[in-house]
Amino acid sequence: MPVPTEELKLEIVNAATGKTLGAKAEPGADGALVVRDFPEGGPSPEQWQLAPVQTARDGQAYVIRNAVSGKVLDDPAAADRGVRQWAATAGQEHQQWHLVPVEDEAGLYFIEGTTDGAVLDLADPGEEDTQVVLREHDDSAESQRWRFVPAEPERISDPALRWAPLDHWNGRRSWRLVRPTALRPAPGATPCFSDMLLVLDRFGSDRDAGGWKSDGTNRSWSGQPGWWAGLGDRFLADTAEAGRKDIVGLKPAKGAVTSSSRGDGTFDDEERVLHQPAPSSRPADLWTLVDLTGDGRPDVVVLAADGVRVSTQDEDGTFSPAGGELVLEAFGHSQQGGGWLADEHPRFLADTTGDGRLDIVGCHDDGVRVSLQDQDGTFAPIADEPVLRAFGHDEKAGGWLAEKHPRFLADTTGDGRLDIVGCHDDGVWVSLQDQDGTFSDPLYILDDFGVDQGWSSAEEHPRFLLRTTDGGAVDIAGFGPQGLVVSRGRGDGTFEPSQLVLNDFGLTQGWTSEKHLRLLADVTGDGNPDIVGFGDEGVWVSHNRGDGQFEQAQLVCRGFGYHEDAGGWRVDRHPRFLADITGDGRVDIVGFGGPGVYVARNLFRRFRTR
């Protein structure tokens, strides 16, 4: 593991004793530090943060700061060489430390003072409060080895207590406290969601609810237009220009079926056929509903075997033609359609030129292919050669793998044209689009968000390109090994060095792609993306403060979670979405469970506990 970043809160543990660095059980005025046990139910161990500094003597060092008091690790040069925590003084070498990895011991470090090279050690290992001192480096001394353990994130919520009747054999009744499904956040906390309710006994994975099964081709849990769904997938889309999202599911025989939102958090009991499949449809076809032409009505777009098929929506709400019109003999999964594979070749629907019409962009073996849509709604044939020999699957085009190297289309310069951004092994690459629609050769701009920096896969570490601050440029944000990492966009196609903005929702805190979903979405309606995580206990939200910083996570709904008492939701069987199903402008939680469709309404109220 690399040296942890500045924003991460850490416990510093001695390798020889397993005890944690902190103040004495009864701290004194001298600020002396010891290692000691912190039993469960007692005070929590001290948490520390590492702030990198540049020293005049030998370059990189760290100030080790108490995350609560702000005091720093200090060498007072006392006779007993005791180490203390003391008020920070800028530029003082006796408060600066080197973190030296122990050779062949992953995750262990020597903490070395920059003044004389002495390292942190224990005065008398074994006692309850063992003083921390500085001693000459001894490579064989285990007491001089330290481990940096990310602290448990602070999370807040207050269950709303409820009573339930208990009937007795003699006819009497008493009352008992029951474990609630609803939560009342801490005073002033926001947002809040209603209880999780079963609103429709269809579109579920149980046999009685339709026995829906996904084939796994939908690699996005956002439910946003432009992302592709396969047979068995369920998602949400505004199918009738009503300003709220309906349920859409893809059935092998019927095609796209829907259950319309009633506007009150429920859906029509009966499903109806939205769009019939073409006779030539195949299980590998990918579907989406999206407004292609900017007329306000969604169209059905299918990446079929022979290419791109489109069914436009008429004024009466029907889609024609029934099987879709072949508008482009490209981007399909047969040899006739170009041999595009879902697990190798990402394809996008996006307005690349700023003219209000969606174009088709794909990353094939040899690089990037683009088909622009003109004013007549016609897609131009793709050229014989790629528009950019990069971001492709083959080695000559960069060796980009869909499971490891996410690619995005985003306007990183503010000129209204979309650029190509990709996260490869070594970090982030960007290809800018000029006024002529030409993409420049990719530039390596950031040494983070890549496999080499611990971002092992696109599924394990979701990454996003979006604005995290009011009026800012597009940023890169992702759930890395330690938590949410953000690199601020400069507005010129480059990005600032990445920062860990919240040490939560990462692998270190127990979030894994096999059990949990993590999204960035605006749940309060203030225009800023918040963090939403479907964890073990339910749905956690970390609110964006508006400046790109995030509050500590709150448990806002005790449902849709991995644990059985939170519903026993599974990533591979139970898709969950954030979507506005009421038309009030705020996203609700919608999940497709075993028995059917569950909903938790976004209440957006400020509750106070009593």
Side-chain angles (χ1 to χ4, degrees), residues 46 96 183 226 310 312 317 386 443 502 511 519 539:
E46 266 96 339
Q96 298 173 354
L183 291 159
V310 173
T312 58
L443 296 176
L502 186 70
W511 293 78
L519 304 170
V539 183

Side-chain angles (χ1 to χ4, degrees), residues 272-307:
R272 60 183 176 87
V273 175
L274 185 69
H275 180 269
Q276 294 179 348
S280 59
S281 64
R282 299 289 184 270
D285 292 354
L286 299 178
W287 299 56
T288 194
L289 265 75
V290 63
D291 180 8
L292 275 178
T293 60
D295 62 1
R297 295 193 296 268
D299 309 299
V300 174
V301 183
V302 181
L303 300 179
D306 51 358

Side-chain angles (χ1 to χ4, degrees), residues 439-520:
F439 290 93
S440 65
D441 290 337
L443 296 176
Y444 178 65
I445 60 165
L446 190 65
D447 58 346
D448 203 351
F449 299 101
V451 176
D452 295 346
Q453 293 86 30
W455 301 72
S456 57
S457 71
E459 183 180 25
E460 195 64 70
H461 301 293
R463 278 148 277 184
F464 308 83
L465 264 76
L466 74 178
R467 291 176 176 85
T468 63
T469 58
D470 289 329
V474 172
D475 309 315
I476 304 174
F479 296 101
Q482 310 293 353
L484 182 69
V485 178
V486 174
S487 178
R488 312 285 181 206
R490 295 190 175 110
D492 60 357
T494 66
F495 296 83
E496 297 177 1
S498 58
Q499 290 185 329
L500 182 75
V501 298
L502 186 70
N503 59 316
D504 202 350
F505 299 99
L507 277 175
T508 301
Q509 295 85 25
W511 293 78
T512 68
S513 62
E514 294 179 353
K515 296 181 178 181
H516 311 123
L517 302 177
R518 289 157 291 173
L519 304 170
L520 290 174

Side-chain angles (χ1 to χ4, degrees), residues 162 177-181 537 558 565:
R162 291 180 178 173
L177 280 172
V178 295
R179 182 179 179 88
T181 57
E537 307 90 344
R558 199 182 291 277
D565 57 3

